[in-house]
Amino acid sequence: MSSMTEDLKKVATGTRSIVQARSISKVFRRDSFEVTALDKVNLDIAEGEFLALMGPSGSGKTSLLNMIAAIDQPTSGELLVLGENVFRFGDKEIARWRNEHIGYVFQTFNLIPVLTAFENVELPLLLTRLTRSERRDHVMTALKLVGLEDRVDHLPKQLSGGQEQRVAIARAIATDPTIILADEPTGDLDSHSATEVLEILKRLNHDHHKTIVMVTHDPHAAAYAHSTRDLEKGMLLPV
Amino acid sequence: MNLPSFIAKNAFRNKRRSLLTVLSISFSLLLLTMLISIWRGFYLDEPSPDAALRIITRHRVSLAFMMPIFYREKIRAIPGVLQVVPMNWFGGKYKDDKPENMFAQFGTDPEEVFKVHRDWKVEPEQLAAWQRDRAGAAVERKLADKHLWKLGDRIVLIGNIYAVNAELTVRAIFDADEAWQALLFNQTYVEEAVPYAKGRAGIFAMLVDSPDAVARISGQIDEMFKNAPQPTKTESEKAFQLGFVAMLGNVKAFILSIGLAVVFAILLVSANTMAMSIRERTREVALLKTLGFTRGSILSMFVGESVMLAVFGGLLGAFCARWLLSAAASSPAMGGFLAGAKVTAPTLIVSLLVAALVGLLSAFVPSYHASKLKIVDGLRHIG
């Protein structure tokens, strides 16, 4: 297993792949039943790529995304993200790593209802060593990028769904992470808001060189990505 | 925003529930603070320097039995005794039997009572006027204010113990602490009207020259009358007052058990609130962990929230208790029973520490479980 990790690290250095999955499987056990969410998936994601993961419900898209974010662990196989096997880390290290390198956008926005747009975006920055004014600069930059600099004092309930998702994207990019993971980011939005969100993701990838992995089952959304990979019954279909 | 302000926003996110929690904690802490204050007042607080020099002699068997008045001069002869004054409970009825019209009335010696109670303040000319008028009365100021008495007013006390009505004229109004909301009159007035009252005393209050002499003199007095028909019991003024408290039963155990029940009740209320509040935010816990919050920071945040609510409730309760106790202590209806009970700074600190501890304990278990939540499980949570 360790030699496999070494090999993957060498590949990572050579090709600038920032996600390398080798034969990763995920099996959920519920009582006496076993459900295979991912079945020996091999995947490389290069730095700066905008990848869409498609597939029907239950095909394992979100499970794969969660593993890249180190919020779930494969049952078997090897996964390196930014050249690291993060599952070796302890709670504090893995939390810090996630804060520094991962920006996660959820389908249901997951904004804190008692915090304003500004404060929601500031939340991950509270864990950094940035000063108050530096945090403010980061937040305002992120909110400008998503076109919400005039909504800083608005609570989530005072925003439309599309605006909420843009705040969520601003929160995801506030720490300037290497990878943005978006799980059905347009799933709860109307077509106009969905287009706005997809344009923002495209701009983040194109102008700011963020690596983006987006889970979607919407071909229109997938069209914004450089490449698309399909999952079915936990298996990654050939390109 | 910083982490403490984030915790504060979360603590008061559901304003109605937070308000109800704070109020329930504050009410419980109000009770607890009052109980602690009463405990302190009864058992822990040191008497004032003047009160520490006073000792009381009564009949060994009961306050209901009288002692011969000649004990006064025998006691006065003991080295270290500076002043001795008899105090006889009159127990008369003023107007009617309503509680607000009940107050302490003592027949005493106007020449010496203010020498024993040096901390009572009276105008010299008023004291002289009272000493001159055998049917005069000296009234504590709060009692006088309550009944709108002023100098020269007539007060009629209908005798219940003695077959005489005391028709008195207010000659002096004095200032004393809350424990002494009383009316004093010349004991000779009763003695002249009721022959069997003559030559007897209910208690002797005396002033000694040093707090160190209290135990020695008390022992000497009781030893002196040990074999007399009316043996005595002598104790410090503080111990004498505690004797009245003891008549209520095991007050210490009562206060302790009520206090524990109060703390346990608020612990359950607070734990239930925090468990509900944390369960509702399961998805948010998963979100925070996704953003990089550690188990420790999640645990600290929730415990901090709970402690913040509890301390807020504790502060409110403690200050309400302070106000209530102050009002009760100065109320003539309490008869000075709660005079020593005050919400002091140490009591306030103890109450707030109890509140903080309740907040911490009530939130710890649900917060610990939240901190251990797997992110994927939290994100799947529907609630």
Side-chain angles (χ1 to χ4, degrees):
Chain A
M1 188 70 87
S2 60
S3 63
M4 191 175 178
T5 305
E6 291 305 311
D7 290 345
L8 286 172
K9 280 189 175 173
K10 283 174 193 165
V11 173
T13 316
T15 62
R16 297 173 65 82
S17 286
I18 57 171
V19 177
Q20 297 148 295
R22 291 294 175 270
S23 196
I24 59 168
S25 296
K26 180 69 185 177
V27 179
F28 292 104
R29 290 183 179 84
R30 290 200 179 88
D31 301 323
S32 57
F33 296 99
E34 284 193 351
V35 178
T36 303
L38 287 175
D39 190 5
K40 294 177 183 162
V41 168
N42 291 295
L43 179 68
D44 284 285
I45 302 172
E47 187 172 14
E49 191 174 342
F50 187 168
L51 173 72
L53 284 174
M54 294 192 73
S57 293
S59 58
K61 308 183 296 290
T62 300
S63 294
L64 182 56
L65 203 70
N66 287 344
M67 282 174 209
I68 296 170
I71 60 182
D72 201 3
Q73 204 166 347
T75 312
S76 64
E78 195 79 20
L79 177 64
L80 292 187
V81 183
L82 297 164
E84 297 277 5
N85 179 3
V86 293
F87 302 108
R88 289 184 295 112
F89 293 168
D91 175 59
K92 280 185 184 171
E93 282 174 298
I94 210 164
R96 193 186 308 127
W97 179 87
R98 214 181 280 125
N99 179 258
E100 286 174 7
H101 298 295
I102 302 291
Y104 205 109
V105 181
F106 302 90
Q107 179 180 349
T108 50
F109 326 136
N110 284 341
L111 299 180
I112 307 279
V114 289
L115 302 184
T116 62
F118 183 95
E119 290 165 339
N120 265 292
V121 178
E122 192 184 19
L123 202 51
L125 297 173
L126 296 180
L127 305 169
T128 65
R129 292 173 185 273
L130 295 176
T131 63
R132 196 185 182 88
S133 65
E134 287 170 336
R135 289 204 304 267
R136 183 170 183 80
D137 291 344
H138 275 63
V139 172
M140 289 313 295
T141 303
L143 283 170
K144 273 180 192 158
L145 272 171
V146 298
L148 285 176
E149 66 271 28
D150 56 341
R151 294 281 191 275
V152 288
D153 293 326
H154 287 227
L155 292 168
K157 65 182 177 187
Q158 296 166 323
L159 299 170
S160 67
Q163 288 171 331
E164 281 193 78
Q165 190 60 296
R166 282 150 66 191
V167 173
I169 293 172
R171 180 180 63 193
I173 61 174
T175 55
D176 195 21
T178 319
I179 309 171
I180 296 171
L181 304 171
D183 187 4
E184 304 265 16
T186 58
D188 276 9
L189 302 178
D190 60 74
S191 61
H192 175 71
S193 300
T195 304
E196 281 182 344
V197 165
L198 290 166
E199 287 293 342
I200 290 167
L201 290 176
K202 188 177 171 183
R203 210 164 56 240
L204 286 169
N205 172 252
H206 186 265
D207 299 348
H208 301 277
H209 314 294
K210 297 293 173 195
T211 305
I212 299 179
V213 183
M214 176 176 69
V215 163
T216 183
H217 55 246
D218 176 11
H220 169 71
Y224 281 79
H226 297 151
S227 55
T228 302
R229 297 299 303 268
D230 289 286
L231 278 154
E232 199 170 301
K233 293 180 180 172
M235 287 188 284
L236 199 62
L237 301 182
V239 181
Chain B
M1 187 178 67
N2 50 30
L3 280 174
S5 68
F6 180 46
I7 291 170
K9 280 180 184 245
N10 276 325
F12 293 96
R13 61 162 55 196
N14 186 331
K15 290 187 174 53
R16 186 184 303 161
R17 183 167 61 198
S18 301
L19 182 70
L20 289 172
T21 307
V22 166
L23 286 179
S24 64
I25 292 173
S26 66
F27 185 72
S28 305
L29 262 293
L30 180 151
L31 287 177
L32 189 70
T33 307
M34 288 182 75
L35 289 171
I36 295 172
S37 302
I38 291 169
W39 177 293
R40 277 189 67 92
F42 283 172
Y43 301 110
L44 300 181
D45 280 351
E46 291 295 319
S48 67
D50 279 319
L53 294 175
R54 284 197 292 268
I55 54 180
I56 307 284
T57 295
R58 63 174 175 87
H59 196 288
R60 183 166 198 81
V61 176
S62 163
L63 273 169
F65 294 97
M66 307 287 274
M67 295 169 291
I69 194 69
F70 70 81
Y71 281 13
R72 182 182 184 185
E73 296 312 317
K74 290 181 107 52
I75 291 169
R76 198 193 298 279
I78 294 173
V81 174
L82 302 178
Q83 308 288 343
V84 189
V85 70
M87 304 282 281
N88 291 332
W89 180 259
F90 182 67
K93 180 166 75 177
Y94 175 66
K95 289 185 180 173
D96 49 38
D97 289 326
K98 288 181 182 169
E100 60 265 31
N101 288 327
M102 293 180 183
F103 51 88
Q105 306 135 20
F106 291 99
T108 186
D109 179 0
E111 300 296 330
E112 207 164 349
V113 67
F114 280 88
K115 292 175 184 167
V116 171
H117 293 273
R118 295 188 302 195
D119 44 352
W120 293 356
K121 301 295 175 222
V122 63
E123 294 293 329
E125 56 273 22
Q126 291 184 22
L127 177 60
W130 179 43
Q131 288 167 342
R132 280 195 303 273
D133 184 359
R134 190 165 286 186
V139 186
E140 194 275 330
R141 188 174 304 281
K142 287 191 193 70
L143 186 64
D145 290 345
K146 182 191 170 193
H147 293 285
L148 305 174
W149 292 330
K150 53 189 186 302
L151 295 176
D153 282 359
R154 295 272 290 169
I155 299 170
V156 178
L157 303 175
I158 300 160
N160 286 327
I161 299 171
Y162 302 100
V164 60
N165 293 341
E167 295 179 19
L168 306 169
T169 307
V170 179
R171 295 297 180 201
I173 294 175
F174 64 94
D175 293 290
D177 62 32
E178 285 86 351
W180 281 101
Q181 288 180 17
L183 178 148
L184 309 174
F185 62 92
N186 195 328
Q187 172 63 12
T188 315
Y189 183 97
V190 177
E191 289 177 355
E192 286 179 353
V194 187
Y196 66 80
K198 195 168 177 126
R200 306 199 305 166
I203 60 171
F204 292 106
M206 64 213 79
L207 187 75
V208 299
D209 60 357
S210 153
D212 300 333
V214 167
R216 174 183 59 82
I217 293 171
S218 299
Q220 276 183 273
I221 295 170
D222 292 344
E223 183 64 24
M224 185 187 294
F225 303 115
K226 188 171 71 177
N227 297 315
Q230 286 85 21
T232 59
K233 181 177 180 184
T234 306
E235 56 201 341
S236 67
E237 186 182 83
K238 173 89 178 173
F240 178 74
Q241 287 165 347
L242 275 179
F244 288 97
V245 175
M247 287 178 193
L248 298 173
N250 191 345
V251 176
K252 272 187 182 175
F254 177 76
I255 291 177
L256 190 66
S257 55
I258 298 280
L260 285 175
V262 164
V263 171
F264 188 63
I266 47 171
L267 192 65
L268 294 183
V269 168
S270 184
N272 186 43
T273 306
M274 282 314 294
M276 275 199 299
S277 173
I278 292 171
R279 194 164 49 243
E280 281 171 7
R281 284 186 277 158
T282 303
R283 278 182 75 88
E284 280 184 27
V285 172
L287 165 76
L288 292 174
K289 289 183 122 181
T290 307
L291 295 179
F293 282 77
T294 59
R295 281 181 204 162
S297 52
I298 300 276
L299 180 72
S300 310
M301 273 171 46
F302 281 124
V303 169
E305 242 181 88
S306 176
V307 169
M308 187 179 282
L309 283 175
V311 169
F312 199 69
L315 265 176
L316 189 66
F319 280 107
C320 286
R322 186 176 186 152
W323 176 79
L324 263 177
L325 262 185
S326 165
S330 59
S331 165
M334 297 302 294
F337 186 70
L338 293 176
K342 290 183 179 67
V343 181
T344 57
T347 304
L348 197 69
I349 290 167
V350 168
S351 293
L352 292 182
L353 283 177
V354 169
L357 190 67
V358 163
L360 192 147
L361 290 177
S362 63
F364 189 80
V365 172
S367 304
Y368 178 72
H369 285 298
S371 73
K372 287 189 71 179
L373 178 82
K374 284 185 179 173
I375 298 176
V376 280
D377 293 336
L379 291 174
R380 274 192 218 113
H381 181 83
I382 301 166

